[in-house]
Amino acid sequence: MLDIPSRVRVHVETLLAAQNDMGVCDAFEQYAPVGKPDAMNAPHPPKVAGIDSTVPAPAHTVAPSPAVPDPSPSGPSGPHAPRPPGALLQDRLAGWVSDLTTLNELTERLARTSGLDAALKELLRAGAALVGARRGLAVLEPDDGLGPDTTIGLGLARADLGHIETVPRSAMPYGTLLDTAAGLPGGDGEVVRPDLFAEDGLDPRHREVADRLGYAASYALPLSTETAGRLGAAVWFYDEPAEPAERQRHLAGLYLRFATEHLARLLDTERTRACMATVYEELLPSRLPRVPGVRLASRHRTGPRGGGDWYDALPLPDAALGLAVGAVTGAGPGAIAAMGRLRASLRAYAVMEGEDPVAVLSDLELLLRLTEPARSATALFAYCEPALRRITLAGAGHCPPLLLGEGRTEFVETSVSAPLGMLSCWEAPSVEFQVAAGETLLLYTDGLLHCTGDPVDRAFARLHTAAASVPRTLRHDPGAVADHVLHTVLPNGLDVTDGAEDVALLAACFE
């Protein structure tokens, strides 16, 4: 607190009238101590080196007011005793500091959120604390129409949100803010309904829902700024007739302006990720082929930045089947585009000379070196003959596939070779092996190993253990095998949303 001398003379009404027009320093200047100057109140030293040391009087001043008598030690005490001089100023300063501290803490918590849903939930919690409510909902509807549109509740179950959605949109505060100019930057900016049941024109359905959910008042603010536009609206509900005080409204307005800018940044990120994920999905097979003698299943996930992991399965002449997985270096749109070009090229080479996997990868390496010399890639291609249950494969710097069945779970021994684009000329011998009926060949990208967070040798051991633990009843179902491996190697399988790695997995079960 500020240590203000006991000689300060403050008139309460005058200070209240002046504080809106005066800064803190001006307030001290206007209400300076009266009486004999001391060391802190001595005349200013003379002008030195061309600098005038005197402080000019503020342009906005208030007429002097009568001094309030100093409290006497022998005077009255208790709640009606005269307040110490400067107490009001101290209280106001303490209130400002408290408000700034609160806003700083709340905005820091909001800034730590990295997703739209998490940010909206934090916004509702912080807003409820600021306006003194217990429940609320946030409606995200960007006015550019590009989405995503979502509704998040605080203290409201999914069924409660369903009841609220049955109320005509125009009767709800968020409808007023989203569908009229009131919610635009520069509009009215808020919808205050302090006593719903006392309103003459309250919509019957709104009255019914409010009575059912047990709220009697609401306060709504738009999520809009000049730069972000209108993104949505937030509404808080009171259990009893009430409305926030002016100070609460001011703090909530400041907080929501910051929150809207933060939501706008998250919205741009979310849209970019969704766009990249869509492109990634379109570049991968929309469905797997049906080839007699083999059943296929695939699983994949795109990392937040978008990467170059891919898989493919295509029917070939003479009832053969081509299986491929691979990954290109880098992340983002460039890596996704390179992955699409590489996969399309491999399909063409596989149709022409798929029975020789080494020739397929050699052609792919030459194309990559000539067209994208700054990029490298790993790849594995397998030529399968389901009728004979015979597989011929070659790999270029890629992880060895895993073969699992009733009697064995082992990695296929492939030759060690460099990735494509790393050497002036790539070539490595192929490997040929037989599979038994009911066995599954598991092809995967190195993202599966990286997601474990373990060193490479421990990650391979973890993958082998996961494959060996597949229940016997599931080993003839390639989809069940893929899911079991993923949920064993990765505790949350492909449900992890914050993983930095792409994951692609292709399982082929031979009958």
Side-chain angles (χ1 to χ4, degrees):
M1 288 297 182
L2 296 174
D3 185 12
I4 300 179
S6 60
R7 291 188 302 277
V8 175
R9 305 294 189 265
V10 180
H11 188 271
V12 174
E13 295 181 356
T14 304
L15 178 57
L16 287 174
Q19 62 186 0
N20 292 328
D21 298 323
M22 302 172 60
V24 175
C25 294
D26 290 340
F28 279 117
E29 178 73 20
Q30 174 67 26
Y31 300 102
V34 178
K36 184 179 179 180
D38 53 18
M40 296 297 294
N41 198 26
H44 294 285
K47 183 175 181 181
V48 178
I51 300 176
D52 187 359
S53 58
T54 60
V55 179
H60 49 283
T61 59
V62 180
S65 57
V68 177
D70 291 338
S72 174
S74 59
S77 60
H80 300 290
R83 299 187 64 186
L88 179 61
L89 184 57
Q90 293 187 46
D91 291 345
R92 297 296 293 182
L93 289 175
W96 295 337
V97 172
S98 176
D99 291 346
L100 290 174
T101 302
T102 300
L103 285 176
N104 180 65
E105 293 176 353
L106 294 179
T107 52
E108 281 188 348
R109 289 176 56 179
L110 180 65
R112 287 194 291 267
T113 58
S114 58
L116 281 176
D117 285 355
L120 288 172
K121 291 177 181 177
E122 177 59 32
L123 179 152
L124 286 174
R125 285 193 294 267
L130 290 174
V131 302
R134 188 172 62 89
R135 293 177 291 176
L137 65 87
V139 180
L140 187 67
E141 289 185 12
D143 57 2
D144 58 9
L146 300 179
D149 297 346
T150 186
T151 300
I152 300 293
L154 171 69
L156 297 171
R158 188 176 298 273
D160 298 334
L161 294 176
H163 286 302
I164 292 175
E165 289 177 353
T166 63
V167 179
R169 182 181 175 97
S170 59
M172 293 299 295
Y174 64 81
T176 303
L177 294 174
L178 293 175
D179 300 335
T180 68
L184 291 172
D188 294 342
E190 63 178 9
V191 176
V192 185
R193 305 181 74 171
D195 192 348
L196 290 173
F197 297 107
E199 296 180 7
D200 295 334
L202 182 64
D203 182 85
R205 180 55 184 166
H206 193 184
R207 181 184 298 273
E208 180 182 347
V209 170
D211 183 63
R212 182 187 186 97
L213 300 184
Y215 66 86
S218 65
Y219 178 66
L221 286 173
L223 300 173
S224 64
T225 62
E226 292 290 345
T227 56
R230 181 168 56 190
L231 302 183
V235 186
W236 290 275
F237 301 108
Y238 297 91
D239 298 340
E240 301 291 340
E243 62 178 299
E246 182 179 355
R247 171 174 167 270
Q248 292 175 309
R249 296 183 189 182
H250 179 66
L251 292 178
L254 292 175
Y255 177 77
L256 256 67
R257 281 198 289 273
F258 174 85
T260 301
E261 297 292 340
H262 181 65
L263 288 173
R265 292 188 290 270
L266 293 179
L267 185 63
D268 289 341
T269 302
E270 188 75 15
R271 287 175 175 176
T272 302
R273 289 179 179 177
C275 181
M276 292 175 60
T278 300
V279 173
Y280 183 83
E281 293 286 341
E282 292 297 325
L283 290 175
L284 294 176
S286 58
R287 61 184 181 87
L288 296 174
R290 295 184 178 181
V291 177
V294 63
R295 289 180 295 162
L296 301 173
S298 64
R299 301 289 186 270
H300 68 277
R301 182 198 66 196
T302 308
R305 296 186 299 163
D309 288 19
W310 55 276
Y311 68 93
D312 203 358
L314 68 158
L316 298 175
D318 302 326
L321 174 69
L323 302 176
V325 291
V328 300
T329 56
I336 293 177
M339 176 268 290
R341 293 190 293 267
L342 197 69
R343 173 178 170 266
S345 301
L346 185 141
R347 290 175 71 91
Y349 298 144
V351 170
M352 293 186 296
E353 48 191 3
E355 68 280 357
D356 185 0
V358 173
V360 172
L361 294 184
S362 296
D363 294 341
L364 194 65
E365 193 275 337
L366 178 61
L367 177 71
L368 185 68
R369 181 156 46 86
L370 293 176
T371 59
E372 300 187 57
R375 194 179 297 276
S376 63
T378 65
L380 187 147
F381 178 74
Y383 179 79
C384 306
E385 300 171 271
L388 303 176
R389 293 198 292 273
R390 183 169 59 194
I391 300 174
T392 305
L393 66 83
H398 202 79
C399 308
L402 189 62
L403 189 62
L404 62 142
E406 295 289 340
R408 59 175 172 172
T409 300
E410 59 187 25
F411 289 102
V412 177
E413 292 293 337
T414 58
S415 58
V416 178
S417 62
L420 303 176
M422 297 291 289
L423 302 177
S424 59
C425 181
W426 178 91
E427 185 170 344
S430 60
V431 177
E432 183 178 313
F433 58 95
Q434 295 286 137
V435 296
E439 289 188 326
T440 298
L441 183 67
L442 197 64
L443 285 70
Y444 53 93
T445 60
D446 57 1
L448 179 62
L449 304 176
H450 294 162
C451 283
T452 63
D454 295 332
V456 175
D457 54 343
R458 293 184 60 184
F460 274 115
R462 188 169 179 173
L463 175 60
H464 185 276
T465 302
S469 65
V470 175
R472 294 182 179 276
T473 56
L474 301 179
R475 295 201 170 197
H476 297 280
D477 183 352
V481 170
D483 290 335
H484 179 87
V485 169
L486 286 171
H487 284 276
T488 305
V489 175
L490 309 176
N492 295 314
L494 290 180
D495 297 331
V496 179
T497 58
D498 57 352
E501 298 287 342
D502 289 359
V503 175
L505 189 147
L506 180 63
C509 181
F510 293 85
E511 300 175 344

